[in-house]
Amino acid sequence: MKESRKSKLDRRAFFKKSAAGIIGSVGSVYAHTNFRVANDFKRPSSSTDLNWSTINSNFILKNGVTYMNNASLGMPPMIIVDAVKAGYEGISKEPLHGKRKLQDKISKNVIPLLASTFNVKTDEVILTRNASEALFLQTLGLVLKKGDEVVLSTQEHPAALKPWIHRGAKDGVILKYVFIPSPLVSKQDTINRLMSAVSSKTKAISFCHVTRGGHKYPVKEIANLARRKGIATLVDGAQAVGQFPIDIKNLGCDAYSASLHKWILAPSGSGFLFVRDNAKRFFESPFDLKAFTINSFFDPPGTKDYPVRAAVGTALNFINKIGLDNIEKRCRYLSDYLKDGLKKIKDVKILSSDNYNLSAPGSTIFEKKNLDALESVRIFEKRINFHIDEHQRDGHDAIRVSTHFYNNTDQIDLFLDTLNSI
Ligand SMILES: Cc1ncc(COP(=O)(O)O)c(C=O)c1O
């Protein structure tokens, strides 16, 4: 159901009346006591707010707070909190059996579910603590010698850069940084920039599927071109996974690292590493040199955070039940709404493309003249209890607003009114 222009105007007038009233009304979409509806909801039939209210009642965000920083850390719904709690209870009540039960669940349910969600084989993925750990494993694991070159974009996250800087210092690998502008110009421009840095010494291209600021790279096209030249492609999928359906096999990259505690809404401290079956020969690992599958080859040994890993299954079930296609549409609906509003505010420059091929559904970055982004984060929290983030990178002093399906247009209206008044 499309909201009428009049009701939006009425709401805007209402918002201007009282800050306390606003915060109460915006925060009340999260019904703390209703978390058990998790399995009762229907797949939403459209992107508007009304269809998502039942799903949103699974979240337990503190009343009065509005969370628009999902790109930093996802806000798990109550069923995830319950799942982690149940895992720890199992270990505490009966450590031996509790642990075995969780290990069983992880290998028999969680890994297969993870693999099927992203269309990879179960022995091509391992669970990690986060994307950073996976990025370290994939980058430190690639077999390279002194003088080999690696192409990187200037938009990489420090988590992806650090292991490469280490390889540069320790192994004499040469890092070639390619400047990529914000907003992205076109798919072809991104491809051309990265590929024109390739030389006969290039052994790998390392880049994001979706950058920290929400720019979307053409992974499949880059992986295709690289493969024809015998170059490995190592992808950082931390910001991509959970925002839209992803078929990693079809992308064709050799390694893919991701967070699960961002857009998948899994418990904090969860991520995964994928290494393509027939790319394993390009990698080495200190953990099990003779292993044939990526699981034991790359998986650091020892006792794991079993309750967290088991709860990843609950998160994947929750997300899959809603449908990643639905989540993509809903996130687009909200970020398009946000962008439309930003375009009407004086002195705002949006750095996220309108083109769906170039931007992720959930994250929007923009600059406002004479507004320091870091300062704005403080102002939004102080004035209206909104949590957003800065994006002071790549020469930009930008603000990042990352809206997941649980946000709504009322919250965006309030955000825009406040931005307008700063
Ligand atoms: C693009 C990108 N890569 C990697 C990371 C690191 O993710 P994690 O905290 O799961 O290690 C982030 C975190 O914000 C990110 O935005």
Side-chain angles (χ1 to χ4, degrees):
M1 188 195 299
K2 189 100 187 120
E3 290 169 297
S4 74
R5 179 83 192 128
K6 179 169 181 322
S7 70
K8 268 187 219 162
L9 290 173
D10 287 350
R11 199 169 47 242
R12 277 182 172 243
F14 164 73
F15 279 148
K16 284 183 184 119
K17 277 187 208 148
S18 134
I22 296 160
I23 292 166
S25 79
V26 171
S28 64
V29 291
Y30 309 105
H32 293 216
T33 49
N34 275 349
F35 58 84
R36 298 215 181 277
V37 297
N39 289 318
D40 298 341
F41 65 81
K42 294 196 181 80
R43 281 170 72 93
S45 55
S46 92
S47 304
T48 54
D49 293 348
L50 284 178
N51 287 288
W52 288 78
S53 52
T54 321
I55 297 174
N56 288 348
S57 60
N58 286 283
F59 293 89
I60 57 165
L61 184 69
K62 198 172 155 191
N63 243 332
V65 177
T66 295
Y67 193 59
M68 292 188 172
N69 192 15
N70 200 93
S72 288
L73 183 65
M75 183 175 87
M78 191 62 202
I79 43 159
I80 310 297
V81 181
D82 283 342
V84 175
K85 185 168 172 261
Y88 277 109
E89 270 175 5
I91 287 182
S92 297
K93 281 181 182 159
E94 225 184 341
L96 181 67
H97 296 298
K99 175 179 148 186
R100 278 198 197 136
K101 221 169 139 183
L102 289 171
Q103 284 174 321
D104 240 33
K105 189 172 176 188
I106 294 161
S107 62
K108 293 191 182 131
N109 298 352
V110 179
I111 295 286
L113 184 56
L114 181 70
S116 66
T117 302
F118 299 105
N119 193 27
V120 300
K121 293 184 215 154
T122 50
D123 56 12
E124 289 176 318
V125 275
I126 57 163
L127 285 166
T128 59
R129 287 179 301 137
N130 45 48
S132 304
E133 185 177 54
L135 286 161
F136 264 87
L137 290 170
Q138 73 182 25
T139 304
L140 301 186
L142 192 69
V143 176
L144 293 169
K145 60 180 188 318
K146 191 173 176 196
D148 283 346
E149 292 179 359
V150 174
V151 173
L152 302 154
S153 96
T154 48
Q155 292 179 339
E156 298 314 299
H157 190 276
L161 285 180
K162 276 185 188 162
W164 280 122
I165 291 166
H166 176 79
R167 295 225 55 183
K170 183 173 162 280
D171 301 331
V173 171
I174 296 160
L175 313 182
K176 288 175 89 178
Y177 293 96
V178 174
F179 173 74
I180 310 273
S182 257
L184 300 185
V185 176
S186 65
K187 261 181 161 188
Q188 198 54 49
D189 180 75
T190 306
I191 296 167
N192 291 348
R193 283 172 192 266
L194 288 170
M195 293 313 291
S196 62
V198 165
S199 79
S200 58
K201 290 184 187 157
T202 306
K203 293 292 182 301
I205 309 177
S206 182
F207 58 101
C208 282
H209 191 174
V210 170
T211 66
R212 184 188 182 277
H215 300 321
K216 195 162 136 196
Y217 281 35
V219 178
K220 190 174 177 178
E221 289 86 340
I222 297 166
N224 259 334
L225 290 169
R227 194 177 325 108
R228 277 189 235 146
K229 292 177 183 287
I231 297 169
T233 39
L234 275 56
V235 178
D236 173 358
Q239 291 292 349
V241 159
Q243 288 203 56
F244 50 90
I246 296 172
D247 179 334
I248 296 181
K249 184 181 173 196
N250 185 254
L251 290 177
C253 53
D254 295 302
Y256 192 100
S257 292
S259 316
L260 290 163
H261 47 213
K262 293 185 189 287
W263 299 91
I264 293 283
L265 308 175
S268 174
S270 56
F272 73 84
L273 168 66
F274 156 86
V275 175
R276 199 159 52 83
D277 212 1
N278 52 3
K280 203 187 132 245
R281 63 183 188 282
F282 299 128
F283 295 89
E284 62 186 9
S285 159
F287 305 130
D288 186 352
L289 288 175
K290 293 197 189 96
F292 289 109
T293 68
I294 182 68
N295 307 56
S296 44
F297 184 66
F298 262 125
D299 208 357
T303 305
K304 304 279 166 55
D305 39 4
Y306 303 115
V308 167
R309 289 174 181 227
V312 163
T314 313
L316 287 167
N317 275 327
F318 181 64
I319 290 292
N320 285 336
K321 178 146 196 223
I322 300 170
L324 278 162
D325 49 344
N326 272 326
I327 291 173
E328 177 176 15
K329 281 184 215 139
R330 168 72 179 164
C331 288
R332 282 281 176 218
Y333 169 77
L334 292 173
S335 60
D336 284 352
Y337 186 89
L338 172 65
K339 282 179 190 152
D340 283 350
L342 287 172
K343 282 175 193 161
K344 291 178 195 126
I345 298 179
K346 200 168 158 268
D347 293 332
V348 165
K349 185 178 176 217
I350 304 174
L351 300 171
S352 305
S353 177
D354 280 340
N355 182 337
Y356 288 1
N357 287 321
L358 305 179
S359 66
S363 288
T364 305
I365 53 171
F366 62 93
E367 292 171 304
K368 190 176 181 204
K369 205 171 158 191
N370 298 328
L371 179 60
D372 177 75
L374 201 57
E375 182 57 20
S376 79
V377 172
R378 286 189 213 109
I379 295 173
F380 275 101
E381 175 155 20
K382 207 165 159 214
R383 281 204 199 166
I384 55 171
N385 228 343
F386 271 43
H387 296 178
I388 55 164
D389 209 353
E390 51 71 34
H391 189 76
Q392 291 177 323
R393 319 229 166 175
D394 322 324
H396 290 283
D397 183 10
I399 294 168
R400 183 181 71 183
V401 174
S402 48
T403 41
H404 211 332
F405 62 77
Y406 51 71
N407 290 115
N408 61 50
T409 48
D410 283 357
Q411 296 170 336
I412 295 173
D413 281 337
L414 177 55
F415 173 81
L416 291 167
D417 281 344
T418 308
L419 181 73
N420 208 7
S421 70
I422 297 175

